Amino acid sequence: MTATKGLEGIVATTSSISSIIDGVLTYRGINIDDLAENASYEEVVYLLWFGKLPNRTELNDLIVKLSQHASLPEQVVDLIRATPKDVNTMAALRTFVSALAMYDEEANEMDTDANVRKAIRLQAQLPSIVATFSRIREGKEPVAPKEGAGVAENFLYMLTGQQPEAIAVEAMNKALVLHADHELNASTFASRVTVATLSDIYSGVVSAIGALKGPLHGGANEAVMAMLEEVGSFSNVEPYIQDKLNNKEKIMGFGHRVYKNGDPRAKHLQKMSQQLGKLTGNTEWYEMSVKIEELVTGMKGLKPNVDFYSASVYTSLQIPRDLFTPIFAISRVSGWTAHILEQYENNRLIRPRAEYTGPSHQAYVPIEDR
Ligand code: ACO
């Protein structure tokens, strides 16, 4: 038995949800470029869960259900109020999602209809958790969701307490579409491993949030913004990047296990970053990002991934840096739950082997002889 480090190139399951073939990402066979330009996030959620684009009635029904289920159980709001204000936001999200299960009477119902209902509630409640936590830690009262509003609009509304501008809703919608699913990425794999034991959907999503938190995965978008802030100015970009690369340090937001010729999602976020920069009158983050891309691609041949330009997009929307990865989760929960439903449909325990590299033929030594 020989291990493949990081399971690179290993095909661990079949799936009909999303594909990356020759660098092209599709959801249910539809190119991500097409979806990013044309689809609402709710259409994508429906597509991921049910395998087809919704008609108008199905779409309206989903939008209404998502907004109706967006309120949080009182006990979870109390838990958010009792949480220290300076905790890691992904640790907080992981905890609050876990708490949701305790107040869901269907938490351990395993039939498909119950699991679809729970997927809807999870998709509806994750944005509310992030917005509610953000407001409470700022000393503000939570804002109730608006019935009938889409996920992007409702999230920004609950976060700020104000009706968001159309361009902000459009940008958030596009970011949610682009982050919704991504084949067998680390967090999705974690969720499938968890539910393949026939554990419940909440446990699957909590496992996924834990995996997304790391800076090699979803945590990279926050690390990109931290880097931009550390660089500080356009004139400092070149010496900063050169220094990092000379010291063999990683530049966050670059590289990918699967894409070697660039992440197809990055160009949409780049365009949005440029547009929002112009609109807000602050193009510095965008210009610094473009310069970083030029240097890293030139010196290392590495291309930006989904996390690179999303950092300046969210900053232009005045979203605090430590909400970037939770926003990734607000979107990816649709993909996680689609994969969890698919795993339940054709389940087998996921239990690979390890190549043993420890000592052999060791005898037990009594404690007094050690
Ligand atoms: N900056 C500098 N060098 C890099 C980077 C980077 N961002 N990414 C990869 N490399 C280099 C590595 O140092 C390594 O060089 P070496 O062969 O000389 O040692 C080589 O490229 C291969 O890199 P690995 O880390 O082995 O590639 P792997 O496929 O394991 O990792 C990953 C992919 C984790 C995305 C990696 O590129 C990385 O750490 N990037 C930065 C973090 C990041 O942006 N993560 C978000 C990914 S997208 C997502 O999950 C949403």
Side-chain angles (χ1 to χ4, degrees), residues 215-217 220 249-257 300 302 305-307 328:
L216 296 188
H217 190 13
E249 285 178 55
K250 278 192 168 170
I251 310 296
M252 289 294 138
F254 284 86
H256 201 276
R257 174 61 66 78
K300 290 282 289 186
L302 290 165
N305 57 47
V306 70
D307 288 316
F328 194 150

Side-chain angles (χ1 to χ4, degrees), residues 7 9 12 118 123-124 130 139 152 157 165 178 221 226 239 249 254 263 270 279 296 314-315 319 324 335 364:
L7 299 183
K118 283 181 276 181
Q123 175 63 75
V130 177
Y157 171 70
E165 287 182 37
L178 291 167
N221 55 14
E249 285 178 55
F254 284 86
D263 182 330
Q270 174 173 7
L279 267 168
V296 176
Y314 297 144
T315 300
I319 291 172
F324 294 2
Y364 174 78

